[in-house]
Amino acid sequence: MNTKEKTKDRVVLSFEVFPPKKTSPISSIYETLDKLIELKPDSISVTYGAAGNDTSARTFEIAGQIKERGVDSVAHLISIGLTKEDLLKKLELLKEKNVNTILALRGDKPDFPYPKGDFEHASDLVAAIKENSDFHVIGAAYPEGHLECPSLVDDIKNLKKKVDAGCDSLITQLFFDNEDFYKFRDMCDLAGINVPIEAGIMPVVNKRQIEKMVSLNNIRVPKKFMKIMNSYENDKIAMRDAGIAYAVDQIVDLVSSGAYGIHLYTMNNPYVAEKIFEAVKNIL
Ligand code: FAD
């Protein structure tokens, strides 16, 4: 258990969860939430289904439940297909649930025809939320550059537009080489991006999960990490423990290099989150 008082000097720790599949009852996530909440993170964010799979009812319900259980929650929201009218309704729903923070995203473009909606880029969504409400708004950032953008420099120029549109802070895509994060952070400084940046860390506990993630998002896998995956891919427990150790190593390095915050992609696995938390709680 985290016995430290939260102070401004502390490194921020947030967790990310996703809603259960529509075929499972929403309550199936509550045990996971209760275990994560025991660790007293600064917040827990809840993902939103990609275009064509609107999970807003579940995302918002879970975000509301987290808030009711005494932890700040963040509702992800994607803009693909969203009209201004939809947005205003969703802001109202979130207010009713006492959720004060939104991670404003564009979402991945689907490979089927889809309604465009009123917001082309995440920055347009950020601006509209800020114009119409007092939500704290977070934006997504990509230490290795976003897949669609020709270069990291161009992506950071676009990130600056998103921050100027009103992002209060940023959370990054997962990365496996901290050097990519440090280079990105320096480039953000040079670009005049001055909002806090939480570093996204995903503990990898199975090889297939990471292969999918990496190929979809163009994330670099360092040799050191590849060796771990190749050595332990057929031993579930060893792979899990090696994935936890790698994430802990990344976090220790990030914290000692002055990272503002750590955003842990928990994959709804409280065991892994607890192990990581136990290992790093005294340095946060
Ligand atoms: P944007 O900021 O709009 O950027 C998308 C692309 O457009 C980039 O290449 C950018 O460089 C470019 N661009 C931006 N602004 C401009 C401009 N003004 N002119 C020209 N080009 C521009 N997806 C989900 O479906 N659900 C989730 O819950 C979810 N959670 C996420 C959480 C985090 C922390 C992260 C990092 C990503 C998450 N995603 C989620 C994935 C995200 O939706 C995709 O990466 C998506 O492709 C881009 O979303 P964005 O908000 O970064 O878009």
Side-chain angles (χ1 to χ4, degrees):
M1 288 280 285
N2 183 5
T3 50
K4 282 185 174 181
E5 286 298 311
K6 287 194 175 80
T7 69
K8 273 187 183 165
D9 299 331
R10 228 177 40 71
V11 176
V12 163
L13 176 68
S14 61
F15 294 149
E16 181 173 308
V17 297
F18 51 83
K21 284 193 184 125
K22 283 182 180 155
T23 47
S24 303
I26 192 164
S27 56
S28 62
I29 198 176
Y30 293 155
E31 201 183 321
T32 298
L33 288 184
D34 288 339
K35 288 182 179 161
L36 293 177
I37 284 168
E38 270 188 38
L39 307 178
K40 298 194 169 83
D42 293 285
S43 64
I44 300 179
S45 81
V46 190
T47 66
Y48 196 95
N53 175 29
D54 182 341
T55 62
S56 56
R58 285 191 164 212
T59 298
F60 294 1
E61 178 60 29
I62 295 167
Q65 287 288 333
I66 293 167
K67 199 68 201 280
E68 254 184 45
R69 287 162 158 78
V71 167
D72 277 345
S73 63
V74 178
H76 296 207
L77 177 62
I78 68 166
S79 69
I80 284 183
L82 194 73
T83 63
K84 182 157 183 215
E85 204 186 344
D86 295 332
L87 173 66
L88 296 180
K89 279 189 203 150
K90 289 188 192 305
L91 295 179
E92 214 39 62
L93 278 172
L94 285 170
K95 268 192 200 152
E96 282 166 20
K97 296 192 180 300
N98 288 319
V99 177
N100 308 318
T101 306
I102 295 175
L103 174 45
L105 301 143
R106 184 202 66 187
D108 286 325
K109 288 181 180 165
D111 52 10
F112 51 81
Y114 60 94
K116 275 194 76 179
D118 290 338
F119 310 102
E120 187 178 358
H121 303 293
S123 52
D124 302 319
L125 179 64
V126 171
I129 297 172
K130 283 294 183 184
E131 263 168 41
N132 290 287
S133 70
D134 55 2
F135 280 86
H136 180 99
V137 179
I138 306 175
Y142 302 84
E144 298 174 62
H146 184 260
L147 193 66
E148 290 165 30
C149 208
S151 74
L152 181 56
V153 170
D154 287 326
D155 201 35
I156 288 177
K157 283 183 188 161
N158 292 330
L159 183 62
K160 170 81 168 116
K161 291 181 203 161
K162 188 153 66 177
V163 170
D164 289 346
C167 285
D168 298 293
S169 60
L170 298 170
I171 297 179
T172 77
Q173 178 64 280
L174 61 104
F175 55 87
F176 296 114
D177 187 339
N178 288 357
E179 292 308 319
D180 290 329
F181 177 77
Y182 302 139
K183 185 176 146 202
F184 166 78
R185 199 171 54 173
D186 288 347
M187 289 171 78
C188 285
D189 279 349
L190 285 174
I193 294 173
N194 299 318
V195 295
I197 304 175
E198 280 186 64
I201 295 296
M202 180 180 280
V204 178
V205 295
N206 101 38
K207 193 180 176 194
R208 247 187 305 145
Q209 163 208 342
I210 193 57
E211 280 171 344
K212 191 171 164 209
M213 187 69 70
V214 161
S215 69
L216 284 176
N217 296 292
N218 204 18
I219 292 161
R220 203 164 58 77
V221 180
K223 268 193 201 153
K224 180 179 165 187
F225 191 71
M226 190 57 90
K227 268 195 267 176
I228 293 177
M229 287 205 294
N230 291 339
S231 301
Y232 305 120
E233 62 179 311
N234 297 318
D235 182 338
K236 262 174 120 177
I237 304 287
M239 181 70 236
R240 181 197 66 194
D241 290 354
I244 291 171
Y246 193 93
V248 168
D249 187 45
Q250 271 194 286
I251 295 171
V252 172
D253 182 62
L254 285 163
V255 171
S256 56
S257 303
Y260 164 82
I262 304 294
H263 181 72
L264 197 65
Y265 294 95
T266 71
M267 303 304 286
N268 292 11
N269 186 332
Y271 174 87
V272 171
E274 276 164 21
K275 288 288 168 198
I276 292 174
F277 180 77
E278 275 304 317
V280 302
K281 65 180 181 188
N282 294 322
I283 61 160
L284 294 178

